Amino acid sequence: DVGALADADGEVYVAMELVTGQTLRAWLDREPRPWRVVVETVLGAGRGLASAHRAGVCHRDFKPENVLIGDDGRPRVTDFGMARAAARPGGAVGDVARTQTSMAGTPAYMAPELFAGAPSSAASDQFSFCVSLFEALFGARPFEGADLDALLRAARAGAICWPDRRHVPATVRRILIRGLAADPARRWPTMDALLNAFGGALGRRRRLAGFALAGVA
């Protein structure tokens, strides 16, 4: 809730949920988890990010440290300190932060276009989300470099470093590759589209497993 205190000269207050739990980073470090559990958990945070986009808000600093996993298992996207509203009331997601040209975010998770001065957008949030999910699945970020310039060159070239984690299905990898595209126009059109692609991939894996069990029976 947000409101003003009548007995304190109109001072504004913000009331937020108290989350008992841990960051996504701590949750991942706590113990090894199956790839499907990791994907489904991070997708929960992705749904929160998509909700922000539908409300015309760009997060601008999505990363594992800014996701809280409650003891109830539900992820929450947090730390909207650098978020920006849409350029106009009721603006489309594509209008998010169009007037914000200053660079903001955590460099290792930032989309390449931001380093060139492009405004933050839903597409740049999507890139940060895919870097975070990649790291959650493989234990390393997709682009490597000895310094920021080398990291940026790798991201612009699409030079993804794939760790030897073959248990992650090719369909999941393909979805991530599109979300990590250097050109924002080549990424998924929206976070909802990306989430739907993952939902389809997870559903297909469940159906194939069911068919296999039926065949064994």
Side-chain angles (χ1 to χ4, degrees):
D1 192 17
V2 180
L5 299 173
D7 57 350
D9 296 325
E11 183 176 352
V12 175
Y13 69 84
V14 178
M16 296 182 289
E17 178 185 15
L18 174 63
V19 180
T20 303
Q22 58 195 320
T23 66
L24 174 59
R25 172 80 65 201
W27 182 83
L28 291 167
D29 291 344
R30 188 171 182 177
E31 61 184 81
R33 301 176 191 274
W35 71 266
R36 184 183 292 276
V37 172
V38 171
V39 171
E40 290 177 341
T41 299
V42 180
L43 288 187
R47 286 188 285 274
L49 193 58
S51 294
H53 291 170
R54 288 193 296 273
V57 174
C58 179
H59 189 282
R60 303 176 84 213
D61 195 25
F62 188 93
K63 58 185 177 182
E65 287 79 6
N66 286 343
V67 175
L68 287 179
I69 309 294
D71 288 346
D72 59 0
R74 183 166 64 88
R76 286 86 157 168
V77 182
T78 66
D79 197 351
F80 280 76
M82 287 193 288
R84 292 293 181 270
R88 54 187 171 80
V93 172
D95 295 325
V96 170
R98 289 297 184 193
T99 61
Q100 299 297 327
T101 56
S102 58
M103 191 171 69
T106 302
Y109 299 89
M110 287 169 57
E113 67 269 17
L114 300 181
F115 292 92
S120 301
S121 66
S124 59
D125 270 359
Q126 181 187 142
F127 184 94
S128 302
F129 173 84
C130 287
V131 172
S132 300
L133 179 52
F134 187 103
E135 184 177 14
L137 284 171
F138 298 104
R141 289 188 286 270
F143 306 109
E144 296 180 353
D147 53 33
L148 184 57
D149 288 339
L151 178 68
L152 183 55
R153 285 195 299 271
R156 285 174 172 165
I160 297 175
C161 296
W162 293 101
D164 187 14
R165 298 287 292 274
R166 300 172 196 171
H167 62 282
V168 178
T171 51
V172 171
R173 293 173 182 247
R174 286 194 293 270
I175 295 169
L176 284 172
I177 289 172
R178 182 171 177 180
L180 292 169
D183 180 357
R186 297 180 66 85
R187 297 172 200 152
W188 295 93
T190 62
M191 274 297 301
D192 284 317
L194 181 148
L195 296 172
N196 289 337
F198 274 117
L202 293 174
R204 181 174 181 273
R205 297 285 296 187
R206 291 193 185 96
R207 290 193 297 274
L208 290 176
F211 293 151
L213 290 173
V216 169

